[in-house]
Amino acid sequence: MNSKIRGIIIGVVVLVCLGVTLAVLTLTDSVKNTEDSSSKIDASSIAEELEKDETTYPLIEIEKNDVSKVVFENESGTLTITRTEETAADGSANWTLDNLGGVKQNDTLVGACVNICSSLKGRKIVEENAADLSKYGLSAPLSRVTVSADGKSDRTFLIGNEIPTGGYYYLCEEGTSKVYTVLDANAEYFMQNELYFCSTSLVYTPSDSEWPTIDRLTIKRQDLDYDMVFVTVPEDEIPIGMTSTQAMIKPVYQFLNITSSADVTHGIWGLTATEAVKLHPTDEDKAEYGLAEPFAKVILDCDTEDYTLLIGNPVYELNDEGEETDVVSGYYCYINAEDTDCVYLVSAEECVWATVLPGDVIIGMMTSNLFVDLDKISLKTKDREVLVDVFAQEDSDPDDDVDDHYYTVDIDGKEADVELFQDWYVYWLECPTDETYFVPLTGSEELYLTVTITLENGKEQVVKFYEASNRRLIAEVDGDVGYMIPIGYAETLMTNIDRVANGESIITTY
């Protein structure tokens, strides 16, 4: 079962904490962090590559923790990795990419650069004393990497062209003419721009004991003329048997289907992007990506923190010719989470708020009042009104422990069969709600039927059905338009209440 769904059932989302361990390879390798896109360099095969040929040429061999700075220059600019004063729990050093300016970095990718630079090895010697470095691309290198370490002089290495057969790049130390090959999986780290090193994990995933409570979640969209609003319902207001603790309150009040609603209500936590697009965007940048006037806005208020997610322009999938299709692959997004001052691309699959509709997440029951809570029901058409009274009687049988009560039902003052009425009430609860409808009433619609339900605690629910076209009715629940239903259902509803009053079984089709 989806962990978010499991958590909604109990009111606190229970997630399995995924411990991510950075395995530092003893040679030149690093493990790619699974939090980020598959477009990142896959270093998983480096160890296997090294095992194929044990002959390597050590160029740098120093303790990783002694590396104080790595600077690499490429066509994107100059990137600087600096050792921080903070240390990890195991006492190892930490490094930060200065270029990100506080935006959350992918620690694994940054650490991989340091790891490579602390134990850099050439794979093969191409030429001992090259007279012409330009033929290897080393006179105008793709990247120039300078390594600074405690108690040692700086060392600078040049990365040239990829060798014709692929898999390796040419490399030499600046000021020398000995040319080596180096694994492409190592060299390509130093050809990236700063966006490559951004973490794509935008919002943390809470631990089991610290999962926040949703106070209010609001979705505003340009393609809808209404907002979708969700809240956590107080425990004493949740009907018996209801698994979701969240309900939609706008555009209609309804409890949620936990299977389809979990990603909508709890998807901000653990949200990940496909890639980082623009660091520290200006107002002009936000306008470029559709974020100045976003297509959608998701506002999450909870008991520990608040988030606002802006969803901007869509990005479309490309066909084999490189042309855009009409299939949306993702959206440009901006969120006010910690250390995320950046425009990100979020996949369409993750960005559920851009396409969700109320009918996708509600349970499909127009009302959910329990039979045992009923006091009165009124069914009123333009021609007649039927009054139903439900009475709880003290149970005279001490062996019957069902609430110590039994029930009687009167229809228009005449006692009716309770089981037949319960069948009618189930028919009412199963009112077809497949078609949601949120267009405001104009005032010209003709009222067809009003169903008023009064509970023992005095609360009242009023459902009004207005005539529409094509033998359909617009259902208004407690003043909010919410559904379009077949008129045949309402006709059968009235027929069935008469059948129950006459001691007959109800009709289940309409």
Side-chain angles (χ1 to χ4, degrees):
M1 180 185 293
N2 183 293
S3 58
K4 292 180 181 177
I5 295 175
R6 187 165 62 243
I8 292 172
I9 293 176
I10 64 173
V12 176
V13 176
V14 179
L15 295 176
V16 176
C17 297
L18 300 177
V20 180
T21 302
L22 171 61
V24 179
L25 300 179
T26 59
L27 295 172
T28 65
D29 316 321
S30 65
V31 176
K32 174 182 175 290
N33 189 343
T34 57
E35 72 170 345
D36 283 316
S37 163
S38 59
S39 65
K40 302 290 192 246
I41 296 171
D42 182 3
S44 61
S45 64
I46 297 177
E48 295 177 6
E49 286 291 324
L50 289 176
E51 288 173 1
K52 292 178 183 177
D53 184 357
E54 295 182 357
T55 302
T56 57
Y57 299 90
L59 302 175
I60 299 180
E61 287 186 300
I62 56 178
E63 288 293 329
K64 181 178 179 180
N65 284 357
D66 290 341
V67 176
S68 59
K69 182 182 291 187
V70 176
V71 179
F72 50 102
E73 306 165 58
N74 56 41
E75 64 178 2
S76 299
T78 301
L79 280 70
T80 302
I81 296 174
T82 305
R83 186 178 60 201
T84 66
E85 294 182 358
E86 298 178 358
T87 58
D90 61 0
S92 61
N94 284 322
W95 293 264
T96 183
L97 182 64
D98 299 343
N99 303 67
L100 298 185
V103 171
K104 192 187 307 180
Q105 69 181 24
N106 183 321
D107 291 330
T108 300
L109 296 179
V110 172
C113 293
V114 177
N115 188 52
I116 291 167
C117 289
S118 69
S119 182
L120 182 62
K121 292 177 174 63
R123 291 302 309 278
K124 294 182 182 298
I125 297 176
V126 179
E127 192 171 355
E128 284 281 359
N129 189 15
D132 182 12
L133 291 176
S134 63
K135 66 181 179 181
Y136 302 112
L138 293 167
S139 58
L142 297 177
S143 184
R144 182 177 183 271
V145 184
T146 300
V147 183
S148 301
D150 297 340
K152 299 183 182 298
S153 299
D154 290 355
R155 303 277 300 278
T156 300
F157 294 86
L158 309 178
I159 301 174
N161 296 335
E162 187 175 13
I163 69 172
T165 57
Y168 300 90
Y169 284 83
Y170 296 115
L171 175 143
C172 73
E173 187 167 2
E174 189 173 60
T176 72
S177 56
K178 182 180 286 190
V179 179
Y180 301 86
T181 59
V182 64
L183 281 168
D184 57 358
N186 287 340
E188 288 173 358
Y189 280 102
F190 304 100
M191 299 175 193
Q192 309 300 324
N193 62 23
E194 59 268 24
L195 292 171
Y196 172 84
F197 294 94
C198 287
S199 172
T200 54
S201 176
L202 307 187
V203 181
Y204 74 102
T205 300
S207 64
D208 295 353
S209 60
E210 297 177 346
W211 197 268
T213 298
I214 296 172
D215 293 329
R216 191 178 188 91
L217 174 71
T218 303
I219 303 173
K220 298 176 177 288
R221 288 229 304 267
Q222 289 187 5
D223 63 332
L224 301 176
D225 56 7
Y226 55 84
D227 294 343
M228 282 178 275
V229 182
F230 305 85
V231 299
T232 297
V233 180
E235 185 176 351
D236 59 354
E237 295 182 18
I238 299 174
I240 296 174
M242 188 65 64
T243 55
S244 175
T245 61
Q246 281 77 42
M248 174 184 285
I249 61 171
K250 290 291 182 181
V252 65
Y253 188 95
Q254 187 56 270
F255 279 88
L256 304 181
N257 180 336
I258 60 171
T259 302
S260 58
S261 67
D263 289 339
V264 175
T265 56
H266 293 75
I268 291 290
W269 289 288
L271 181 65
T272 60
T274 303
E275 61 180 286
V277 178
K278 184 69 178 180
L279 285 171
H280 310 297
T282 63
D283 291 342
E284 291 77 12
D285 294 328
K286 290 181 179 180
E288 177 184 352
Y289 294 103
L291 296 165
E293 296 181 6
F295 164 72
K297 181 184 290 188
V298 183
I299 305 167
L300 172 62
D301 300 323
C302 56
D303 59 347
T304 56
E305 65 264 314
D306 300 328
Y307 296 103
T308 298
L309 172 68
L310 306 180
I311 302 172
N313 295 337
V315 176
Y316 296 93
E317 290 185 5
L318 303 179
N319 59 24
D320 294 339
E321 286 72 41
E323 301 169 333
E324 285 188 352
T325 67
D326 57 358
V327 178
V328 176
S329 61
Y331 298 87
Y332 293 115
C333 294
Y334 184 89
I335 191 169
N336 66 335
E338 184 178 3
D339 296 334
T340 58
D341 185 21
C342 183
V343 176
Y344 297 92
L345 179 61
V346 178
S347 71
E349 183 180 5
E350 286 257 343
C351 206
V352 293
W353 309 276
T355 55
V356 67
L357 294 172
D360 299 333
V361 295
I362 58 179
I363 61 173
M365 292 178 62
M366 193 159 54
T367 65
S368 56
N369 302 305
L370 298 178
F371 170 79
V372 295
D373 294 329
L374 297 179
D375 182 27
K376 299 179 184 298
I377 298 178
S378 165
L379 299 96
K380 186 176 182 180
T381 68
K382 56 186 174 183
D383 299 322
R384 59 186 290 232
E385 181 176 11
V386 178
L387 297 175
V388 180
D389 290 290
V390 179
F391 303 99
Q393 309 288 349
E394 291 295 332
D395 195 341
S396 59
D397 183 356
D399 296 328
D400 185 355
D401 59 355
V402 181
D403 293 333
D404 293 324
H405 291 84
Y406 70 95
Y407 294 87
T408 60
V409 174
D410 286 358
I411 299 178
D412 286 338
K414 179 182 176 182
E415 187 171 351
D417 184 279
V418 175
E419 290 187 3
L420 290 178
F421 176 76
Q422 288 175 330
D423 291 341
W424 178 91
Y425 192 64
V426 169
Y427 182 81
W428 162 249
L429 292 177
E430 293 176 348
C431 177
T433 56
D434 300 332
E435 183 181 359
T436 54
Y437 181 84
F438 304 111
V439 179
L441 298 174
T442 64
S444 62
E445 296 85 1
E446 185 173 351
L447 182 62
Y448 179 86
L449 170 66
T450 301
V451 179
T452 303
I453 299 175
T454 305
L455 304 180
E456 278 189 320
N457 60 12
K459 290 185 178 180
E460 190 175 81
Q461 183 175 60
V462 180
V463 182
K464 295 183 178 181
F465 298 92
Y466 294 89
E467 293 185 18
S469 59
N470 300 323
R471 283 187 55 80
R472 296 187 301 170
L473 298 175
I474 300 169
E476 180 189 68
V477 183
D478 290 333
D480 292 323
V481 173
Y483 306 95
M484 186 81 77
I485 70 165
I487 195 171
Y489 168 81
E491 291 172 343
T492 305
L493 185 74
M494 295 303 296
T495 297
N496 278 338
I497 197 65
D498 290 336
R499 291 179 67 87
V500 172
N502 294 326
E504 301 175 63
S505 299
I506 68 166
I507 301 170
T508 58
T509 58
Y510 52 87

